[in-house]
């Protein structure tokens, strides 16, 4: 991973629709000075992309300050983590980041095209010192100290359906490995759509920005981008969520049937007790 702080070399923008809101949205990324962190600006309100501002949500990652919320930040946050970007200002004209193609691909490709600017100050790292765990019925997530200087993720999903079934992937976080998962798209089961719609969500969802699984097949004509695209996308989400720590994390993470809610609860468990970690 990068050793120094980084921002982008010049401003760039993304336009699209919000997955859940269905609203058109424009997002402008601009360079930021050292030690800024990742900051969103919505309605002239600044919201730091931090676990302290995150609120528990099952189907996306959401941050909130006062009455202002910004949803579905996880794919952009994953892109920033994977590219080592530590300082960025993000101006957005709606309360949800555009879903684009349902992955981090467009964010990563465009940022790499305009260039990344290395800054003078070193990055700070959160080193895990003690085992931290969160469980909820058959789901769990835990992180342990690592002998290696990186984040290692052992991720298992088990949908017990006819198509996704059980998938496991072991991943070590660095730019090279991130570029092996960054095109993995968000997904859902066709049987769950009625429930999701009844919650007032996925108003902007389509086969252009999500994989829909129906029985023993997917409805997307282009097929999968990876044979294990589902678990790769779960890891992508996890990387984006963990970047709400404010820094990269060094530790060995294991999770079974994890998701946005478990990722956030783990962050709260880790960072809520200073005995669990050290900032390098």
């Amino acid at each position: 991973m990068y050793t120094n702080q980084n921002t982008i070399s010049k401003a760039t923008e993304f336009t699209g629709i919000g997955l859940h809101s269905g609203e058109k949205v424009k997002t402008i990324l601009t360079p930021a000075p050292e030690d800024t962190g990742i900051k969103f600006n919505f309605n002239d309100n600044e919201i730091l992309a931090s676990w302290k501002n995150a609120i528990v949500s099952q189907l996306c990652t959401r941050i909130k300050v006062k009455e202002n919320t910004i949803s579905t930040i996880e794919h952009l946050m994953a892109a920033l983590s994977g590219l080592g970007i530590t300082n960025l200002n993000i101006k957005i004209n709606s309360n949800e980041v555009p879903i684009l193609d349902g992955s981090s691909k467009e964010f990563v490709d465009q940022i790499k095209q305009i260039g990344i600017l290395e800054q003078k100050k070193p990055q700070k790292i959160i080193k895990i010192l003690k085992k931290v765990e969160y469980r909820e019925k058959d789901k769990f997530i835990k992180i342990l100290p690592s002998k290696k200087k990186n984040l290692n993720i052992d991720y298992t999903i088990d949908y017990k359906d006819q198509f996704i079934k059980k998938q496991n992937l072991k991943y070590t976080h660095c730019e090279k490995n991130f570029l092996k998962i960054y095109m993995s798209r968000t997904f859902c089961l066709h049987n769950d759509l009625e429930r999701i719609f009844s919650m007032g969500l996925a108003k902007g969802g389509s086969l252009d920005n999500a994989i829909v699984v129906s029985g023993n097949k997917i409805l997307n004509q282009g097929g999968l981008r990876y044979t294990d695209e589902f678990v790769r996308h779960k890891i992508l989400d996890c990387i984006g969520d963990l970047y709400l720590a404010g820094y990269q994390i060094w530790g060995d993470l294991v999770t079974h049937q994890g998701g946005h809610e478990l990722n956030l609860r783990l962050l709260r468990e880790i960072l809520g007790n200073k005995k669990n970690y050290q900032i390098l």
Side-chain angles (χ1 to χ4, degrees):
M1 296 299 290
Y2 296 96
T3 54
N4 281 4
Q5 296 183 33
N6 296 280
T7 189
I8 56 177
S9 61
K10 62 180 181 179
T12 188
E13 70 177 57
F14 301 88
T15 56
I17 60 169
L19 173 63
H20 296 301
S21 69
E23 295 179 358
K24 292 183 179 180
V25 54
K26 180 166 74 172
T27 304
I28 302 173
L29 279 54
T30 56
E34 295 167 331
D35 297 329
T36 297
I38 310 300
K39 289 184 178 178
F40 287 82
N41 189 290
F42 174 55
N43 283 341
D44 293 323
N45 287 278
E46 197 174 80
I47 308 178
L48 181 67
S50 167
W51 64 280
K52 293 180 180 179
N53 294 329
I55 53 178
V56 171
S57 180
Q58 292 181 331
L59 297 176
C60 69
T61 301
R62 182 179 292 127
I63 52 176
K64 180 178 181 180
V65 169
K66 298 179 181 177
E67 299 305 313
N68 295 284
T69 64
I70 301 175
S71 300
T72 321
I73 66 171
E74 58 269 23
H75 303 160
L76 174 56
M77 292 297 294
L80 302 179
S81 177
L83 296 177
I85 294 172
T86 51
N87 303 305
L88 195 65
N89 289 315
I90 304 165
K91 188 172 183 179
I92 189 166
N93 67 348
S94 181
N95 64 354
E96 187 174 17
V97 172
I99 189 62
L100 303 179
D101 75 341
S103 75
S104 292
K105 181 181 187 302
E106 292 184 48
F107 294 123
V108 170
D109 290 349
Q110 198 159 312
I111 290 170
K112 286 177 70 69
Q113 185 176 5
I114 64 168
I116 297 169
L117 179 66
E118 184 175 5
Q119 297 171 303
K120 293 181 179 180
K121 282 192 175 182
Q123 283 197 29
K124 293 180 180 178
I125 302 291
I126 294 175
K127 181 182 179 181
I128 299 299
L129 300 179
K130 295 172 63 177
K131 175 183 174 183
V132 180
E133 186 171 13
Y134 181 82
R135 288 184 175 269
E136 191 175 277
K137 297 180 180 179
D138 62 333
K139 303 176 182 180
F140 74 84
I141 187 168
K142 62 182 178 181
I143 194 164
L144 303 96
S146 177
K147 296 178 180 178
K148 300 177 181 178
K149 295 181 178 181
N150 46 38
L151 173 67
N152 305 289
I153 299 176
D154 183 342
Y155 209 117
T156 301
I157 57 174
D158 188 358
Y159 277 76
K160 297 179 175 64
D161 69 325
Q162 300 177 53
F163 191 83
I164 302 175
K165 300 178 183 178
K166 188 173 184 178
Q167 297 184 6
N168 171 268
L169 184 63
K170 294 178 176 63
Y171 168 91
T172 297
H173 191 40
C174 63
E175 183 176 345
K176 179 182 176 181
N177 290 338
F178 183 73
L179 294 179
K180 296 176 182 177
I181 70 168
Y182 83 118
M183 294 193 300
S184 56
R185 295 160 292 174
T186 193
F187 62 92
C188 69
L189 301 180
H190 190 263
N191 291 341
D192 290 337
L193 285 177
E194 187 175 341
R195 176 181 62 85
I196 294 171
F197 291 147
S198 71
M199 296 166 65
L201 301 174
K203 294 175 182 175
S206 73
L207 295 178
D208 293 327
N209 55 40
I211 303 169
V212 179
V213 180
S214 179
N216 61 357
K217 66 180 185 299
I218 64 169
L219 301 183
N220 307 66
Q221 289 187 347
L224 294 174
R225 293 176 175 174
Y226 314 92
T227 55
D228 57 352
E229 187 165 357
F230 304 100
V231 70
R232 291 190 193 213
H233 185 78
K234 283 292 191 178
I235 290 176
L236 185 145
D237 279 347
C238 186
I239 290 166
D241 291 348
L242 293 182
Y243 208 35
L244 291 173
Y247 311 116
Q248 302 286 357
I249 296 175
W250 285 354
D252 293 336
L253 185 144
V254 182
T255 185
H256 179 270
Q257 293 291 77
H260 297 302
E261 183 175 351
L262 263 65
N263 297 337
L264 176 55
R265 292 194 184 280
L266 180 71
L267 276 185
R268 289 176 174 175
E269 292 286 334
I270 295 169
L271 300 172
N273 186 342
K274 292 184 178 180
K275 294 181 180 179
N276 292 331
Y277 66 95
Q278 175 185 5
I279 295 183
L280 304 179

